[in-house]
Amino acid sequence: MIVSGARCLLAYAVFPYVLPLLGVTDVVGPAVGVAIGAVAVIFNGVSIRRFWRVDHRLKWPMSTVNVAVIGLMCYLATGDIAELAG
């Protein structure tokens, strides 16, 4: 979840305000977004697996949150890939 949060912080706070000052907004933002999104999906999957392996009492709520975050990351990655492609 930390990686997902970092991705959102970069996408919505750093990229829109810092990168334009540097003049590198065209490709860097979406490319980094796709990379961080992929890592976020992997870490969320690992988190789900860890909760289920130890049979944690909050495995269902945490799995629900993680699956929702994975869905959001996939949606955002689709937008980033579309921006890179066209």
Side-chain angles (χ1 to χ4, degrees):
M1 303 266 299
I2 292 172
V3 178
S4 301
R7 192 251 186 247
C8 290
L9 178 69
L10 287 172
Y12 300 115
V14 174
F15 293 159
Y17 300 108
V18 175
L19 292 183
L21 294 174
L22 302 174
V24 291
T25 57
D26 294 342
V27 176
V28 174
V32 173
V34 169
I36 293 174
V39 172
V41 168
I42 291 168
F43 275 92
N44 280 296
V46 169
S47 175
I48 291 170
R49 182 171 182 213
R50 188 178 308 130
F51 271 89
W52 280 85
R53 287 186 82 191
V54 298
D55 197 29
H56 195 278
R57 66 181 182 87
L58 296 175
K59 65 185 173 189
W60 281 105
M62 288 305 298
S63 294
T64 303
V65 169
N66 279 316
V67 168
V69 169
I70 288 171
L72 177 63
M73 291 296 111
C74 290
Y75 173 76
L76 293 172
T78 303
D80 287 338
I81 291 169
E83 191 171 331
L84 285 172

